[in-house]
Amino acid sequence: MADFISYDDNLFFIMAQTKHLQNGLRLTLHRPIFSGFYIKQFNFLADVLRSIQKELFEHPQLIKLNDYLQLLRSSQTMFIRLLETFLSHSMFVVDNNKDIAVLKQEMQDNLDQVIDRLSEDDKNITEVDTVSTEEMSILLSLPSEEDLS
């Protein structure tokens, strides 16, 4: 039996953790301790976001796919902002800043893929065939206006 994945809950957790880390950057934290903590958290969050994106892209039949993709987009956007804040934070200038910049670019590329997928889905929704009144009458076996006259 396949594992049930609660995308809503997982993405909510990612957004909550991202906000928590963002708030932590407002504090005067001890760099040697907390820079390593932040980098570990970034790697964890990035792994989870990659995993969720992969799962969603591999399962296009999910009923709430667009909702999940929009939540993923929001989570990725928040995470990218967190990475930007970290990189611009003078207290956290560390040797790993290049790695964080590369991670930020990867997350931006992933976000672009999600945005592309959402825009494709929007196009597909607008291109759905419509049923004319005449076709609807035939389908419903109702007499058409011409039959009534």
Side-chain angles (χ1 to χ4, degrees):
M1 184 172 121
D3 289 335
F4 171 76
I5 300 173
S6 176
Y7 296 105
D8 300 73
D9 290 346
N10 286 292
L11 291 167
F12 173 79
F13 179 80
I14 295 299
M15 288 191 280
Q17 286 299 110
T18 301
K19 187 175 180 178
H20 179 71
L21 291 168
Q22 187 78 274
N23 288 337
L25 291 177
R26 294 182 184 148
L27 303 173
T28 307
L29 301 173
H30 188 55
R31 190 185 112 200
I33 296 171
F34 285 98
S35 61
F37 167 77
Y38 267 83
I39 290 167
K40 287 177 186 175
Q41 292 299 306
F42 293 159
N43 288 326
F44 169 75
L45 294 172
D47 287 344
V48 173
L49 288 169
R50 282 186 211 105
S51 176
I52 291 173
Q53 182 172 343
K54 181 178 181 278
E55 284 289 324
L56 291 175
F57 280 21
E58 288 177 354
H59 296 93
Q61 75 282 5
L62 288 169
I63 294 171
K64 293 173 57 178
L65 180 64
N66 267 4
D67 294 340
Y68 298 144
L69 288 173
Q70 288 173 5
L71 280 171
L72 178 61
R73 179 185 63 196
S74 297
S75 300
Q76 290 171 322
T77 301
M78 285 179 71
F79 184 56
I80 290 167
R81 286 188 189 134
L82 172 62
L83 294 174
E84 289 169 347
T85 303
F86 183 84
L87 287 169
S88 67
H89 209 284
S90 61
M91 181 175 47
F92 285 109
V93 176
V94 294
D95 296 335
N96 298 19
N97 277 11
K98 184 178 177 185
D99 295 337
I100 301 301
V102 169
L103 178 62
K104 179 187 161 291
Q105 184 57 52
E106 178 194 350
M107 292 293 108
Q108 183 63 55
D109 294 343
N110 290 350
L111 174 61
D112 293 341
Q113 291 173 6
V114 171
I115 291 170
D116 289 346
R117 178 65 68 94
L118 282 167
S119 65
E120 284 174 22
D121 290 345
D122 287 344
K123 287 178 188 174
N124 291 337
I125 289 171
T126 58
E127 293 176 2
V128 172
D129 291 335
T130 56
V131 178
S132 69
T133 308
E134 184 178 332
E135 291 171 319
M136 186 61 76
S137 294
I138 293 169
L139 290 171
L140 296 173
S141 301
L142 296 174
S144 67
E145 290 179 23
E146 293 172 0
D147 293 340
L148 294 174
S149 9

